Amino acid sequence: GRNYFNRYSAPETDEDEFADERAEILAEAAALKKSAVAYMHPEVGVCSEDATLFGRNYFERASAPDVESMEEAEERAKILAEAAALKQLASDYMHPEVGVKTTDPTLFGRNYFNRYSAPETDEDEFADERAEIL
């Protein structure tokens, strides 16, 4: 087959760096031409289709609240949790008629080992001696 790129009659091609430089130069020339036309014809006005030009930045506007750091946010959460706990304690103290509401089953359980009517258990020393005797 024939190589159409290396034949003598093929048009000359630029190397990659020259092609990139040529593209940059042409882009700059087009931008300069656009700026010159905009300067010479102010009656045309500015037209834009970029959606970001119409958006608002809620974070950097003058009336935006200051952004707090992570440490400040953690400190704020800790303080609010302590305030809520103190409020709960104050309402419990001021209103004893409300009573305590629990659903934990361990509160209603009985300890059969430490009650007064439980039989006394021998300590390990006495239990070992008793086992040897028997």
Side-chain angles (χ1 to χ4, degrees):
R2 294 182 63 186
N3 187 348
Y4 291 99
F5 301 105
N6 292 333
R7 68 183 193 277
Y8 293 111
S9 61
E12 292 184 22
T13 57
D14 293 333
E15 294 181 16
D16 287 341
E17 58 187 49
F18 293 130
D20 293 340
E21 189 173 341
R22 178 179 289 160
E24 289 177 14
I25 291 171
L26 289 175
E28 288 178 4
L32 283 173
K33 180 180 177 185
K34 186 176 179 181
S35 296
V37 168
Y39 182 78
M40 293 302 292
H41 298 286
E43 68 276 2
V44 173
V46 178
C47 59
S48 63
E49 293 93 21
D50 191 8
T52 59
L53 296 176
F54 300 106
R56 292 184 61 184
N57 188 349
Y58 293 99
F59 301 106
E60 295 180 3
R61 67 185 194 280
S63 62
D66 293 332
V67 179
E68 59 187 17
S69 68
M70 198 66 172
E71 295 170 352
E72 291 173 346
E74 290 173 356
E75 184 71 21
R76 176 190 297 262
K78 186 177 177 182
I79 290 171
L80 290 175
E82 288 176 0
L86 286 173
K87 180 181 177 185
Q88 182 65 37
L89 286 173
S91 69
D92 290 344
Y93 182 77
M94 294 301 293
H95 300 286
E97 69 275 4
V98 174
V100 179
K101 297 177 185 172
T102 61
T103 56
D104 190 9
T106 59
L107 296 176
F108 304 109
R110 294 182 61 183
N111 188 350
Y112 292 100
F113 303 103
N114 292 334
R115 68 184 195 279
Y116 293 111
S117 62
E120 293 184 19
T121 57
D122 296 331
E123 294 184 17
D124 290 338
E125 301 172 1
F126 300 126
D128 292 339
E129 288 179 20
R130 180 179 286 165
E132 287 179 17
I133 294 172
L134 292 176

